[in-house]
Amino acid sequence: RERTTSCPMRITALEGVTAVDVSCSRNATCVLTRCYPRPARPATYRLWSFGDNSRGALGLNDSTLSIVSVPTQIASLTAHSPRALASGSFHSISLCAQGCAYAWGDNMFGQLGCAGSLGLVMDGPQLVGGGDNHALSPFREWAIQATAGEDASYYLCTRGGTPLSRYV
């Protein structure tokens, strides 16, 4: 039986790491953590999610999961070094160190910005674009900030140091 509470609680599964960003969708939570594995080594950034996996909201590449009560790493993004995140109702987006944006979850209204996937559910992170890979990107710049509404995603991008806004 799941335990619920209306009071803040420590997330013991994330002890030993530093939470640097958190974003909540309708029924799910994503947490970005940073840890320093050894002195004089670069920090490692990881993205975790937990809650209701309806419409792929957790980004775990597993549509058979329904409720995940313990933070679970979104391992497919670790190599891309996620640095920021945002969530809408049933979708989330992450910006990575290389200036790329990834999105997952419900794409009923095209809120993920992934070419050719309108109306589909994406159970795992999909490259939206940005960074050095512009082949399928709806924006041709580096993504430097993102936010999400109920059924939309917004990106602040830069080209040669000039900020540009993009709506997906």
Side-chain angles (χ1 to χ4, degrees), residues 81-95:
S81 195
R83 298 298 171 93
L85 62 111
S87 299
S89 287
F90 293 98
H91 77 288
S92 292
I93 53 181
S94 177
L95 299 183

Side-chain angles (χ1 to χ4, degrees), residues 59-116:
L60 299 174
N61 286 311
D62 189 345
S63 61
T64 64
L65 296 172
S66 56
I67 301 294
V68 177
S69 58
V70 177
T72 304
Q73 185 177 346
I74 303 176
S76 61
L77 280 180
T78 301
H80 303 287
S81 195
R83 298 298 171 93
L85 62 111
S87 299
S89 287
F90 293 98
H91 77 288
S92 292
I93 53 181
S94 177
L95 299 183
C96 296
Q98 306 86 350
C100 295
Y102 287 83
W104 60 92
D106 186 7
N107 197 35
M108 180 61 67
F109 304 104
Q111 60 267 45
L112 299 186
C114 301

Side-chain angles (χ1 to χ4, degrees), residues 143-155:
I144 59 173
Q145 189 174 358
T147 190
E150 181 175 354
D151 294 315
S153 300
Y154 306 88
Y155 298 91

Side-chain angles (χ1 to χ4, degrees), residues 16-149:
V17 295
T18 302
V20 294
D21 201 358
V22 64
S23 186
C24 299
S25 62
R26 186 170 287 183
N27 296 312
T29 302
C30 290
V31 178
L32 177 64
T33 62
R34 176 183 63 213
C35 67
Y36 295 94
R38 295 183 204 121
R41 298 287 306 234
T44 302
Y45 292 84
R46 293 193 171 106
L47 201 51
W48 307 80
S49 63
F50 55 102
D52 184 351
N53 196 36
S54 295
R55 304 184 210 174
L58 299 182
L60 299 174
N61 286 311
D62 189 345
S63 61
T64 64
L65 296 172
S66 56
I67 301 294
V68 177
S69 58
V70 177
T72 304
Q73 185 177 346
I74 303 176
S76 61
L77 280 180
T78 301
H80 303 287
S81 195
R83 298 298 171 93
L85 62 111
S87 299
S89 287
F90 293 98
H91 77 288
S92 292
I93 53 181
S94 177
L95 299 183
C96 296
Q98 306 86 350
C100 295
Y102 287 83
W104 60 92
D106 186 7
N107 197 35
M108 180 61 67
F109 304 104
Q111 60 267 45
L112 299 186
C114 301
S117 65
L118 181 64
L120 299 178
V121 169
M122 305 308 244
D123 291 318
Q126 306 293 311
L127 177 66
V128 176
D132 294 326
N133 183 354
H134 304 305
L136 300 175
S137 178
F139 46 87
R140 306 266 188 254
E141 304 87 15
W142 284 63
I144 59 173
Q145 189 174 358
T147 190

